[in-house]
Amino acid sequence: MRLAIIALALLSAWLALPVDAHAERLAAQYAKACGLTGTAGSVVVDVYDDTSATTPTPILATIPNGSMKRMGTTDCYRVNIAAASGIAYPAIGDPTEKHYTLVFRDDAANAIKVSESVGGTIGPHPPSYICARETPVYPTIAIPSRGITSTVIAAGNPNYVKVDVDCTRLFTGAEWTYYYVLSYDGSGRVAARTPSLTVPSP
């Protein structure tokens, strides 16, 4: 009985721990709205900042039709708000929290409102791993700073691993790409595998 009480107390304490405010997020964030029955070429999105202190809240920006993607022949459209200009979407590595109201509208007087929030730091989110394809890139020259010697090269060990993320899994055009940069110890074994958003040089 005493052990059961202790276990319950430990579980309660674990559940009460704060959630990490710096959760990872992907580089793309898609918003979608349906019920837009007007001309496909007329759909645009007005973006508002939900945290604005101004009344009435002004439009941050209008995302043009060229950024819209119609979903098949339906009345649904999507847009990547991470690629929209003028809305202060957090840049790579910026943990800023943002909240937006998006109003999709067309030339048939339809106006569909959706809300989107973003926070955390950019990085590979665990559910995205099924969308990832890893490609090793091999060194052609020694890189002493990372322990890449002629022995490491002769053993066929990679310099870094390129990771393309594409949830269509066709990989004809990755949604985004990151890299795992490898370092080796004096025995030629992997000592570190460091994620990077840029190609290592060298």
Side-chain angles (χ1 to χ4, degrees):
M1 181 67 177
R2 173 181 276 181
L3 288 176
I5 292 171
I6 292 171
L8 184 60
L10 289 172
L11 177 62
S12 298
W14 178 76
L15 290 174
L17 290 174
V19 176
D20 183 4
H22 298 288
E24 292 177 328
R25 63 177 172 85
L26 291 175
Q29 181 166 341
Y30 292 95
K32 180 182 74 175
C34 295
L36 297 154
T37 58
T39 308
S42 71
V43 179
V44 296
V45 181
D46 293 328
V47 183
Y48 297 84
D49 177 2
D50 289 354
T51 61
S52 172
T54 306
T55 303
T57 301
I59 294 174
L60 280 178
T62 296
I63 302 174
N65 180 262
S67 298
M68 299 297 111
K69 299 293 184 185
R70 188 176 184 184
M71 306 182 77
T73 58
T74 69
D75 60 4
C76 299
Y77 294 80
R78 67 176 170 86
V79 64
N80 178 11
I81 63 171
S85 61
I87 68 169
Y89 190 89
I92 290 173
D94 181 354
T96 302
E97 181 179 296
K98 292 282 186 176
H99 302 276
Y100 304 102
T101 291
L102 287 75
V103 181
F104 288 74
R105 55 184 174 83
D106 61 19
D107 60 2
N110 294 303
I112 312 298
K113 299 177 182 68
V114 298
S115 295
E116 291 290 333
S117 295
V118 60
T121 55
I122 199 161
H125 194 279
S128 75
Y129 290 160
I130 195 171
C131 304
R133 180 180 67 181
E134 297 188 0
T135 305
V137 177
Y138 298 93
T140 56
I141 60 169
I143 307 172
S145 61
R146 289 196 281 115
I148 296 177
T149 62
S150 57
T151 304
V152 169
I153 294 171
N157 292 315
N159 176 2
Y160 61 90
V161 177
K162 178 185 177 188
V163 184
D164 292 313
V165 178
D166 178 5
C167 285
T168 67
R169 304 188 74 187
L170 298 175
F171 298 103
T172 53
E175 294 176 21
W176 68 296
T177 299
Y178 62 98
Y179 307 87
Y180 284 121
V181 182
L182 301 173
S183 298
Y184 296 86
D185 63 18
S187 299
R189 297 174 300 186
V190 174
R193 185 170 174 259
T194 307
S196 173
L197 291 171
T198 57
V199 179
S201 178

